[in-house]
């Protein structure tokens, strides 16, 4: 009976579609076929917060570089250079840096545990990598690296990270304070979601700053409250500048919720002195600000007279605990000597937040289910690398120290090269992966940039790319004192390519300055 009813319904529908339609119906149908429908989504109809968001390190200059790269592939010799040298982003393995062997051995064994039961594995993998893989698998429910984890991250891996933080700082860390994330960027977004309620909420950010902060503040509808680093004193952070900008924001009706500090600095490469860190903590305590400490370059320090100290370590050394200051520390597997950008791992450690607020942070983390398991494993490994006596220790330290010492040499070579150029000054690269030289452009160059509706440093960077294949980021993408112009360059091209970078850059700069000389 059901089949009969279904067949009858189909015949009725067929007749209704085939039957002649009234003239009014036909006219309407014709109008529908001839009138173009408007797009469902236009620039005028999307979220205006997205339009305000900009991310310079992957902006227009990089898009143009990718087009040039396709040209070179399709038509070798079509440009005055043979390859594109990407100095725009801290992405070490894209520029031929090799992964740390121990980390990848452990990761491979965790992802394919079948290997652990094979005799030949002991001839291919180090004994401590095999042992570490077993330990990690034992804390993963069901030993399933392809399954969702706890939204805060696998508890056993958070225990390992907490132990690593405790060893680093000399003060205890709690696994319950740690949220594992897909790199540091999602952690920053989570905190902006938590803190920003409207455009009347502001976040103090350094200028120059890493564009993640300006972009995330824009996306979440807040206000960026800039404080300027002092280029003349090596990109120093002056408390008087923080006080001035805080007062100015409050007078304009902005409720400042947090202070962002990037240490070591991006794009500026400075390493904060302990006394300066103490002053920053006292400032945040006095003004009831959350301290957002971007510490992803903590392994990247190249000067002997300074070392990395976490803000949590400094706060605890001052006697401040959870009831005194709210502090979020960000770490990532993408930087340091490991450079595992594509594995997307990182964490934030939150201290000084009440239980009910932490429950809301956990709720936000739960919306994304969990961070990827490979990134979680690597985050635990960078905070607990091989120790003296482990089979991998000597090879691990050789790889790590080789990368970091090479970074230091590359930074010094590029710093000296920039300072040798007419009208260019570059502060010392104390840490991180970047140099941020100031370029005093001739007035004719500034006018030429205006004529093509470009910022002068973007005009310079575009001309540099077209002439040499070197990709840098204009300083205007990071913020700078009005009337000054900069570029950011990484130190990441392999050491044997640095001389070519220097020679190409020098030749271009001399030609540019001659062309636009006032």
């Amino acid at each position: 009976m059901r089949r009969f009813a279904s067949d009858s319904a189909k015949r009725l529908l067929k007749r209704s579609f085939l039957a002649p339609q009234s003239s009014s119906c036909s006219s309407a149908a014709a109008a529908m076929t001839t009138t173009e429908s408007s797009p469902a989504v236009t620039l005028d109809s999307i979220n205006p917060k997205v339009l305000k968001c900009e991310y310079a390190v992957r902006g227009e200059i990089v898009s143009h570089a990718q087009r040039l790269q396709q040209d070179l592939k399709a038509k070798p010799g079509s440009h005055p250079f043979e390859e594109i040298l990407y100095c725009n982003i801290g992405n070490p393995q894209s520029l031929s840096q090799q992964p740390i062997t121990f980390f990848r051995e452990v990761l491979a064994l965790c992802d394919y545990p079948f290997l652990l039961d094979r005799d030949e594995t002991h001839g291919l993998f180090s004994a401590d990598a095999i042992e570490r893989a077993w330990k990690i698998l034992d804390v993963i429910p069901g030993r399933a690296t392809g399954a969702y984890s706890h939204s805060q991250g696998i508890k056993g891996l958070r225990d390992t990270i907490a132990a690593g933080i405790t060893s680093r700082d000399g003060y205890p860390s709690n696994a319950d304070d740690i949220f594992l994330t897909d790199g540091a960027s999602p952690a920053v977004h989570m905190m902006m979601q938590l803190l920003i309620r409207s455009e009347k909420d502001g976040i103090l950010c350094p200028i120059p700053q890493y564009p993640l902060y300006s972009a995330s503040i824009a996306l979440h509808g807040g206000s960026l409250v800039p404080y300027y680093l002092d280029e003349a004193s090596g990109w120093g952070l002056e408390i008087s500048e923080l006080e001035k900008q805080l007062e100015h924001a409050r007078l304009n009706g902005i409720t400042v919720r947090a202070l962002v500090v990037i240490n070591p600095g991006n794009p500026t490469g400075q390493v904060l002195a302990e006394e300066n860190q103490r002053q920053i903590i006292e400032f945040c305590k006095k003004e009831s600000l959350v301290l957002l400490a971007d510490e992803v370059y903590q392994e990247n320090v190249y000067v002997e007279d300074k070392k990395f100290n976490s803000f949590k370590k400094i706060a605890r050394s001052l006697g401040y605990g959870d009831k005194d200051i709210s502090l979020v520390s960000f770490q990532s597997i993408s930087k340091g000597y490991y450079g595992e950008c594509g594995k997307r791992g990182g964490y934030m450690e939150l201290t000084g937040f009440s239980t009910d607020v932490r429950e809301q942070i956990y709720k936000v983390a739960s919306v994304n289910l969990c961070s990827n398991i490979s990134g979680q494993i690597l985050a635990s490994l960078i905070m607990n690398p091989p120790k003296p006596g482990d089979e991998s220790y000597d090879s691990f330290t050789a790889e790590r120290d080789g990368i970091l010492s090479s970074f230091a040499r590359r930074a010094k070579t590029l710093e000296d090269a920039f300072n040798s150029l007419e009208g260019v000054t570059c502060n010392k690269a104390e840490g991180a992966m970047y140099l941020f030289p100031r370029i005093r452009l001739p007035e004719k160059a500034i006018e030429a940039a205006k004529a093509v509706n470009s910022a002068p440093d973007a005009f310079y960077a575009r001309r540099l790319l077209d002439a040499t294949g070197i990709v840098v980021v204009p300083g205007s993408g990071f913020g700078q004192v009005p009337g000054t112009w900069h570029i950011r360059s990484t130190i990441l091209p392999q050491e044997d390519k640095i001389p070519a970078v220097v020679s190409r850059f020098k030749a271009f700069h001399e030609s540019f300055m001659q062309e636009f000389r006032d």
Side-chain angles (χ1 to χ4, degrees):
M1 184 67 183
R2 286 181 182 173
R3 183 174 179 181
F4 173 78
S6 175
D7 290 344
S8 299
K10 288 178 181 176
R11 286 194 295 272
L12 286 169
L13 282 170
K14 186 175 181 180
R15 282 200 297 271
S16 69
F17 278 116
L18 292 175
Q21 299 182 6
S22 68
S23 58
S24 60
C25 290
S26 300
S27 305
M32 288 176 67
T33 57
T34 56
T35 303
E36 290 187 8
S37 59
S38 59
V41 180
T42 67
L43 285 180
D44 291 331
S45 66
I46 66 172
N47 187 339
K49 296 171 187 173
V50 175
L51 293 175
K52 289 177 64 178
C53 168
E54 295 183 358
Y55 190 64
V57 297
R58 289 181 183 249
E60 188 275 331
I61 296 288
V62 179
S63 297
H64 182 53
Q66 291 166 342
R67 290 191 293 270
L68 295 179
Q69 190 167 24
Q70 291 299 315
D71 286 350
L72 289 172
K73 185 177 180 180
K75 296 178 289 182
S78 57
H79 294 283
F81 43 84
E82 296 179 356
E83 64 177 333
I84 302 294
L85 290 170
Y86 287 97
C87 299
N88 62 297
I89 193 168
N91 192 15
Q93 292 186 29
S94 73
L95 294 170
S96 302
Q97 180 177 308
Q98 295 303 300
I100 298 297
T101 302
F102 176 79
F103 295 165
R104 286 300 183 89
E105 284 188 351
V106 175
L107 193 60
L109 292 167
C110 288
D111 273 340
Y112 194 46
F114 172 74
L115 293 172
L116 291 166
D117 294 322
R118 298 181 67 94
D119 292 337
E120 57 266 38
T121 297
H122 293 273
L124 295 171
F125 293 83
S126 60
D128 54 333
I130 294 171
E131 180 185 4
R132 185 71 68 88
W134 277 120
K135 288 181 178 178
I136 289 173
L137 288 169
D138 282 344
V139 302
I140 298 176
R143 295 181 175 174
T145 60
Y148 291 133
S149 77
H150 187 284
S151 293
Q152 202 168 332
I154 295 165
K155 174 63 163 60
L157 300 182
R158 287 187 281 122
D159 285 333
T160 299
I161 290 169
I165 294 171
T166 300
S167 176
R168 181 196 68 191
D169 293 346
Y171 294 94
S173 176
N174 189 326
D176 291 338
D177 294 337
I178 293 166
F179 286 72
L180 290 168
T181 53
D182 288 328
S185 298
V188 170
H189 279 288
M190 286 173 65
M191 293 313 302
M192 296 306 175
Q193 282 180 299
L194 182 81
L195 295 170
I196 294 172
R197 299 162 296 184
S198 73
E199 71 279 357
K200 290 298 185 181
D201 282 331
I203 309 292
L204 273 161
C205 284
I207 297 296
Q209 53 96 34
Y210 175 44
L212 164 66
Y213 292 97
S214 54
S216 61
I217 291 167
L219 281 172
H220 297 295
S223 295
L224 187 149
V225 179
Y227 67 89
Y228 289 93
L229 301 176
D230 183 12
E231 186 170 9
S233 64
W235 300 111
L237 195 166
E238 301 294 337
I239 300 300
S240 59
E241 171 68 4
L242 293 178
E243 292 170 339
K244 180 179 79 173
Q245 298 298 345
L246 178 64
E247 181 183 5
H248 183 264
R250 287 173 173 170
L251 288 173
N252 283 282
I254 301 295
T255 300
V256 179
R257 307 297 309 281
L259 167 67
V260 172
V261 180
I262 308 174
N263 181 48
N266 176 9
T268 45
Q270 84 283 12
V271 178
L272 294 178
E274 287 185 50
E275 177 56 32
N276 201 187
Q277 290 183 269
R278 285 191 282 269
Q279 294 169 346
I280 293 164
I281 289 166
E282 297 286 9
F283 173 79
C284 288
K285 183 177 183 300
K286 183 180 93 170
E287 302 296 346
S288 297
L289 301 177
V290 177
L291 177 53
L292 301 175
D294 184 328
E295 299 177 337
V296 304
Y297 297 99
Q298 58 191 259
E299 303 277 3
N300 303 103
V301 178
Y302 311 124
V303 289
E304 293 183 359
D305 60 332
K306 288 187 177 180
K307 66 176 183 176
F308 169 78
N309 290 289
S310 75
F311 272 97
K312 183 187 164 196
K313 174 184 175 180
I314 300 299
R316 296 297 180 264
S317 72
L318 290 170
Y320 295 144
D322 280 359
K323 295 182 179 179
D324 301 302
I325 185 169
S326 297
L327 171 62
V328 185
S329 304
F330 303 104
Q331 169 63 315
S332 170
I333 68 171
S334 300
K335 310 305 177 185
Y337 56 87
Y338 13 89
E340 293 281 11
C341 302
K343 298 299 183 184
R344 307 310 301 134
Y347 67 81
M348 60 179 176
E349 183 186 24
L350 298 102
T351 56
F353 290 83
S354 64
T355 301
D356 53 350
V357 170
R358 290 165 66 93
E359 288 173 353
Q360 298 305 306
I361 297 171
Y362 178 76
K363 180 174 69 178
V364 173
S366 299
V367 171
N368 293 320
L369 297 176
C370 71
S371 59
N372 81 85
I373 305 303
S374 293
Q376 292 190 34
I377 292 170
L378 283 166
S380 77
L381 292 173
I382 69 169
M383 297 306 292
N384 184 26
K387 302 294 190 295
D390 292 342
E391 182 182 328
S392 295
Y393 180 73
D394 289 343
S395 59
F396 164 76
T397 54
E399 290 178 41
R400 178 197 63 195
D401 295 349
I403 291 168
L404 292 175
S405 61
S406 179
F407 280 169
R409 291 192 297 271
R410 288 180 244 178
K412 185 67 169 68
T413 298
L414 289 169
E415 173 196 324
D416 290 344
F418 284 130
N419 282 319
S420 73
L421 301 177
E422 177 188 357
V424 178
T425 53
C426 183
N427 281 328
K428 191 170 188 176
E430 297 179 332
M433 295 178 172
Y434 316 100
L435 293 163
F436 199 65
R438 178 178 176 181
I439 303 175
R440 291 163 177 82
L441 294 169
E443 190 60 35
K444 285 183 180 177
I446 295 172
E447 291 302 319
K450 289 179 181 177
V452 294
N453 198 29
S454 173
D457 48 9
F459 178 76
Y460 180 92
R462 175 67 178 254
R463 290 284 297 262
L464 172 69
L465 171 59
D466 286 335
T468 68
I470 298 171
V471 188
V472 297
V473 188
S476 47
F478 301 90
Q480 53 200 341
V481 172
T484 68
W485 310 108
H486 300 78
I487 58 169
R488 189 191 78 165
S489 172
T490 73
I491 61 172
L492 296 179
Q494 286 297 292
E495 200 162 356
D496 62 355
K497 292 186 181 292
I498 294 295
V501 172
V502 170
S503 61
R504 288 191 209 177
F505 208 111
K506 283 187 172 182
F508 163 77
H509 185 78
E510 289 170 1
S511 174
F512 183 93
M513 296 298 282
Q514 188 60 38
E515 178 181 354
F516 292 102
R517 193 171 302 283
D518 293 331

